[in-house]
């Protein structure tokens, strides 16, 4: 199995070819293809390549499929015996991406 661990907007995701992943919102258009070059680890046929901190010769090509809102997150604040209660919530934005391929450059 071929996979890569990639940095996307400060978060690390394990990407497998032809699989879907929900990541923090990309401000790009739907159907746009992007090359990710911040690859921490790349494994092909059980042989891992580890970057310091990134691998220079590996890129991941992804496609943006959908922009969606996640489940509601509730923020509740309370101070006991003071009559203070605040309830807030929000729905975070996510982008659904598909991994198209892993591009390996020959050195």
């Amino acid at each position: 199995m071929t996979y890569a661990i990639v940095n996307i907007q400060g978060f690390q995701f394990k990407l497998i070819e032809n699989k879907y992943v929900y990541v923090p919102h990309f401000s790009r258009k739907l159907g746009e293809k992007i090359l990710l070059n911040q690859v921490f680890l790349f494994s092909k046929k059980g042989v891992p390549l580890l970057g310091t901190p990134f691998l220079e010769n590996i890129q991941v090509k992804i496609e943006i499929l959908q922009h969606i809102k996640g489940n509601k997150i509730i923020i509740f604040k309370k101070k006991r015996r003071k009559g203070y209660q605040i309830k807030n919530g929000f729905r975070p934005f996510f982008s659904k991406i598909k991994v198209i391929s892993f591009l390996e450059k020959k050195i």
Side-chain angles (χ1 to χ4, degrees):
M1 178 170 84
T2 304
Y3 68 91
I5 296 180
V6 180
N7 180 29
I8 300 175
Q9 298 179 358
F11 298 99
Q12 297 177 15
F13 292 94
K14 181 178 179 181
L15 302 179
I16 302 170
E17 200 166 13
N18 295 323
K19 297 286 182 177
Y20 304 103
V21 179
Y22 293 95
V23 298
H25 183 71
F26 272 112
S27 58
R28 305 271 182 104
K29 295 180 182 174
L30 293 179
E32 192 171 338
K33 294 178 175 47
I34 303 171
L35 283 177
L36 302 175
N37 56 5
Q38 292 187 344
V39 179
F40 293 114
L41 182 135
F42 179 71
S43 177
K44 187 174 186 178
K45 298 179 184 173
V47 180
L49 297 173
L50 192 60
T52 55
F54 303 116
L55 291 168
E56 301 295 329
N57 57 342
I58 306 289
Q59 290 183 330
V60 181
K61 189 174 185 181
I62 63 168
E63 180 181 5
I64 297 176
L65 299 177
Q66 190 178 17
H67 296 303
I68 60 170
K69 286 176 121 181
N71 294 332
K72 183 171 251 189
I73 296 173
I74 303 293
I75 295 104
F76 184 73
K77 299 178 183 179
K78 178 181 179 175
K79 294 187 180 177
R80 60 186 204 159
R81 295 188 296 271
K82 305 289 188 247
Y84 172 79
Q85 288 185 351
I86 301 282
K87 182 179 178 183
N88 270 327
F90 71 98
R91 293 180 66 189
F93 288 100
F94 292 105
S95 294
K96 182 179 180 181
I97 63 169
K98 180 181 180 183
V99 179
I100 297 172
S101 64
F102 298 107
L103 305 172
E104 299 178 57
K105 297 179 193 172
K106 300 296 180 190
I107 299 176

